[in-house]
Amino acid sequence: ETGVTQSPTHLIKTRGQQVTLRCSSQSGHNTVSWYQQALGQGPQFIFQYYREEENGRGNFPPRFSGLQFPNYSSELNVNALELDDSALYLCASSNQGVDYGYTFGSGTRLTVV
Amino acid sequence: DQQVKQNSPSLSVQEGRISILNCDYTNSMFDYFLWYKKYPAEGPTFLISISSIKDKNEDGRFTVFLNKSAKHLSLHIVPSQPGDSAVYFCAATSGGNKLVFGAGTILRVKS
């Protein structure tokens, strides 16, 4: 059973640029959620994807967008990067309707300069 | 609006003793609570959970207690081991759609 894998592990971008982060969900899981963890804080829910559609969204602006593919992998896209977007981005997969077991990846550390 | 709060940023405990981590919540719609452990450079790892219809759940050295009237839960680790040193996050959900996390508590177990 493979876990959740995220790429890249680290990334440095310039303010105003765009970034795409990727996530492969754990085998058998059909739902992917993305979280942002700023320094010294807990993870904050960005959005969730189920059956390739957005299934809930947190308090993040529209420049945060995502995709889920038929194999349940997912992308997080952030446009017009701001300095405050610097954070650890975590992907979590789960099995919607089965249980509340979320499996997290190791995250992508994004630094915006 | 912090719906889940972990008021202790850090906790230091001697090896072999009990570690008690606390968490308070405000949203009475939460129906499931989870504890995650996080090491540096790793993602959060699920530790133990409890449904709102229960008041206690035990798994080996880890026990979670839920007091719904006080909107409070706690994680007990007995006995504490140096390998337990990590950041512990309390999380809550309503219907499983998203997890709402606290800010975390850094646990240091001294040998």
Side-chain angles (χ1 to χ4, degrees), chain A:
Chain A
E1 179 182 274
T2 56
V4 176
T5 56
Q6 293 186 241
S7 62
T9 54
H10 295 85
L11 201 53
I12 299 175
K13 288 286 191 177
T14 304
R15 190 172 49 184
Q17 284 188 314
Q18 178 265 344
V19 69
T20 297
L21 310 182
R22 294 179 173 83
C23 171
S24 294
S25 60
Q26 180 171 306
S27 61
H29 283 182
N30 57 20
T31 302
V32 173
S33 304
W34 286 90
Y35 290 81
Q36 179 196 66
Q37 186 182 8
L39 205 59
Q41 297 181 22
Q44 301 288 315
F45 176 72
I46 302 175
F47 43 56
Q48 182 182 88
Y49 277 84
Y50 172 62
R51 291 185 176 176
E52 302 176 51
E53 291 195 3
E54 191 177 284
N55 182 41
R57 189 179 183 91
N59 190 24
F60 281 82
R63 59 190 185 83
F64 285 78
S65 63
L67 284 172
Q68 186 183 31
F69 300 100
N71 66 354
Y72 305 122
S73 66
S74 177
E75 286 182 356
L76 164 66
N77 299 290
V78 187
N79 293 322
L81 283 167
E82 300 177 0
L83 298 179
D84 284 349
D85 296 332
S86 296
L88 179 68
Y89 288 84
L90 294 162
C91 171
S93 72
S94 58
N95 219 354
Q96 183 90 344
V98 174
D99 57 39
Y100 291 170
Y102 288 81
T103 302
F104 282 83
S106 297
T108 294
R109 172 71 63 185
L110 173 65
T111 302
V112 182
V113 297

Side-chain angles (χ1 to χ4, degrees), chain B residues 2-47:
Chain B
Q2 261 191 299
Q3 298 185 64
V4 177
K5 292 183 183 180
Q6 293 178 255
N7 291 319
S8 298
S10 65
L11 175 68
S12 188
V13 171
Q14 198 67 33
E15 181 180 5
R17 307 294 290 267
I18 184 171
S19 294
I20 300 176
L21 296 100
N22 294 304
C23 178
D24 296 297
Y25 62 96
T26 57
N27 189 341
S28 56
M29 297 301 291
F30 287 143
D31 59 3
Y32 203 78
F33 303 88
L34 308 92
W35 284 93
Y36 281 84
K37 179 169 73 172
K38 188 178 186 300
Y39 294 117
E42 295 183 14
T45 303
F46 171 74
L47 205 53

Side-chain angles (χ1 to χ4, degrees), chain B residues 40-110:
Chain B
E42 295 183 14
T45 303
F46 171 74
L47 205 53
I48 191 169
S49 62
I50 187 167
S51 164
S52 60
I53 63 173
K54 296 185 175 181
D55 55 17
K56 177 182 174 181
N57 189 27
E58 199 169 351
D59 184 2
R61 298 187 296 114
F62 303 91
T63 302
V64 56
F65 296 92
L66 175 62
N67 182 334
K68 283 183 64 179
S69 60
K71 292 189 175 67
H72 176 85
L73 65 155
S74 61
L75 173 67
H76 292 210
I77 306 173
V78 182
S80 301
Q81 299 173 354
D84 295 329
S85 297
V87 181
Y88 287 78
F89 290 101
C90 168
T93 183
S94 172
N97 195 25
K98 70 174 185 180
L99 296 178
V100 180
F101 283 86
T105 297
I106 300 170
L107 173 66
R108 295 188 186 90
V109 180
K110 299 176 290 186

